[in-house]
């Protein structure tokens, strides 16, 4: 049950703060000192792609097939590799480490905490010190705003600490499940489950007809306060389309070779990259992040990386048929679209 608005007071600087729904993200203050323009980072020229040997490709394929009980490993062992084609696949990642703050009225069971409402002026949302994590780590923190706490009667149970039991509708008893309320079973035999009463004590409330109020946990009082929610970090990826045939979704969890990394308070996009689509994506994402997150967040630092994800498309022949598989990522993961020798397995 959402607390009534009349339960909360008015706190200067927190106008519009709601119960449960919050007051929305708060605009950060303007920086005290003008910020410097970002400096263009040097762009490396070594965009070479590492290649794998035929022995490595075969070894990984055999290990892959051996991991499935339904796969005959003959194609992996006896197949003849006819072609190995490497593909340049780059992943651009932009991280904008931000801090955003939002507020909402919150409640908790009252446990004797001091009620400091209006004993001093509450600090504004962006004046509250927050100790965050290391840069570029997702982080969420909830802070009770000082000098906004007060204790109020619980609105759910009307300060009784108890609520009617929903299982028995507050009666404390339920129809006996053995005799269905008759008090007897199997003709004239008395029902020993309910001692012939036809009803038995409710197991949920132990026959009391009431249960502890879930809102105040039986305390009868609530501590109301403004909760400040602090969130940090935003990440976006862009993967250059490659024509190997391997789905881009397969690359989301793999690691590649880091070719370029640059971190500053504010970034310039990457220019001069061999594939123009990556430079275009960098330009678009940098502009979007700086426009979007500077409105309701404080940008602390940005970081951009370019990874080379090696993909090798291996074509091989087995029993007159031509087939393919892929070796990709730093750890040489294997993807086989259609393994040619499988059987139906059943687990007994």
């Amino acid at each position: 049950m959402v607390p009534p608005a009349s339960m909360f007071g008015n706190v200067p600087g927190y106008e519009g703060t709601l119960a449960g729904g919050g007051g929305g993200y708060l605009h950060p203050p303007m920086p005290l000192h003008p910020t410097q323009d970002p400096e263009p980072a040097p762009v490396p020229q070594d965009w070479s792609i590492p290649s794998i040997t035929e022995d490595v490709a075969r070894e990984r394929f055999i290990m892959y097939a051996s991991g499935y009980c339904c796969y005959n490993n003959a194609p992996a062992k006896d197949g003849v590799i006819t072609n190995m084609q490497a593909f340049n696949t780059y992943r651009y990642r932009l991280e904008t480490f931000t801090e955003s703050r939002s507020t909402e009225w919150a409640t908790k069971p009252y446990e004797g905490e001091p009620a400091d409402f209006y004993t001093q002026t509450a600090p504004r949302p962006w004046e509250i010190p927050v100790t965050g994590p290391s840069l570029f780590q997702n982080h969420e923190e909830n802070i009770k705003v000082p000098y906004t706490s007060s204790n109020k009667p619980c609105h759910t149970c009307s300060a009784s600490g108890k609520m009617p039991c929903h299982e028995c509708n507050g009666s404390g008893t339920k129809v006996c499940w053995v005799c269905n309320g008759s008090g007897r079973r199997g003709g004239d035999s008395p029902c020993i489950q309910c001692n012939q009463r036809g009803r038995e004590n409710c197991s949920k409330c132990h026959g009391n007809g009431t249960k502890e109020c879930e809102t105040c946990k039986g305390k009868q009082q609530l501590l109301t306060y403004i909760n400040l929610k602090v969130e940090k970090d935003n990440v976006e990826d862009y993967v250059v389309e490659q024509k190997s045939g391997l789905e881009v979704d397969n690359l989301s969890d793999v690691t590649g070779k880091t070719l370029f990394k640059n971190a500053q308070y504010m970034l310039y996009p990457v220019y001069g990259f061999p594939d123009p689509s990556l430079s275009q994506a960098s330009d678009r994402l940098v502009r979007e992040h700086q426009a979007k997150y500077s409105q309701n967040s404080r940008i602390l630092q940005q970081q951009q990386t370019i990874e080379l994800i090696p993909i090798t498309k291996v074509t091989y022949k087995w029993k007159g048929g031509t087939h393919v598989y892929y070796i990709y990522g730093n750890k040489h993961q294997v993807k086989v679209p259609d393994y040619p020798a499988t059987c139906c397995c059943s687990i007994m």
Side-chain angles (χ1 to χ4, degrees), residues 110-186:
Y110 181 63
E111 296 176 318
E113 302 95 331
D116 57 8
F117 188 74
Y118 267 144
T119 57
Q120 292 188 40
T121 302
R124 303 299 172 97
W126 286 97
E127 295 173 349
I128 298 173
V130 175
T131 56
S134 302
L135 289 174
F136 306 111
Q137 291 184 10
N138 286 321
H139 179 70
E140 183 177 309
E141 187 174 352
N142 289 282
I143 301 172
K144 184 163 59 178
V145 177
Y147 312 118
T148 63
S149 301
S150 60
N151 60 302
K152 299 290 179 68
C154 178
H155 59 284
T156 302
C157 63
S158 299
S160 68
K162 299 178 180 180
M163 291 291 290
C165 176
H166 294 297
E167 191 72 19
C168 63
N169 294 320
S171 68
T173 62
K174 296 173 61 178
V175 173
C176 176
W177 65 274
V178 176
C179 66
N180 201 27
S182 68
R184 310 193 70 79
R185 54 178 296 184

Side-chain angles (χ1 to χ4, degrees), residues 21-142:
Y25 287 101
L26 305 164
H27 296 288
M30 295 295 293
L32 297 177
H33 305 287
T35 57
Q36 295 181 346
D37 290 333
E39 297 180 1
V43 178
Q45 300 301 316
D46 181 18
W47 308 107
S48 61
I49 183 168
S51 59
I52 63 172
T53 64
E54 185 174 314
D55 289 341
V56 171
R58 185 181 301 280
E59 177 187 350
R60 298 301 299 179
F61 194 24
I62 293 173
M63 291 177 61
Y64 170 85
S66 300
Y68 292 87
C69 65
C70 298
Y71 282 15
N72 184 329
N73 62 8
K77 289 185 175 181
D78 303 331
V80 178
I81 295 177
T82 58
N83 188 42
M84 292 177 57
Q85 187 176 3
F87 289 84
N88 281 330
T89 304
Y90 301 104
R91 177 167 58 207
Y92 173 80
R93 172 169 292 171
L94 174 63
E95 296 178 84
T96 299
F97 192 62
T98 66
E99 180 180 329
S100 60
R101 300 190 177 194
S102 60
T103 58
E104 65 178 2
W105 279 104
T107 63
K108 64 178 292 293
Y110 181 63
E111 296 176 318
E113 302 95 331
D116 57 8
F117 188 74
Y118 267 144
T119 57
Q120 292 188 40
T121 302
R124 303 299 172 97
W126 286 97
E127 295 173 349
I128 298 173
V130 175
T131 56
S134 302
L135 289 174
F136 306 111
Q137 291 184 10
N138 286 321
H139 179 70
E140 183 177 309
E141 187 174 352
N142 289 282

Side-chain angles (χ1 to χ4, degrees), residues 170-210:
S171 68
T173 62
K174 296 173 61 178
V175 173
C176 176
W177 65 274
V178 176
C179 66
N180 201 27
S182 68
R184 310 193 70 79
R185 54 178 296 184
D188 295 330
S189 300
C191 180
I192 60 175
Q193 176 69 21
C194 62
N195 292 326
Q196 304 182 64
R197 293 185 303 155
R199 300 185 69 84
E200 58 181 333
N201 286 344
C202 175
S203 60
K204 295 294 184 181
C205 64
H206 306 290
N208 296 319
T210 59

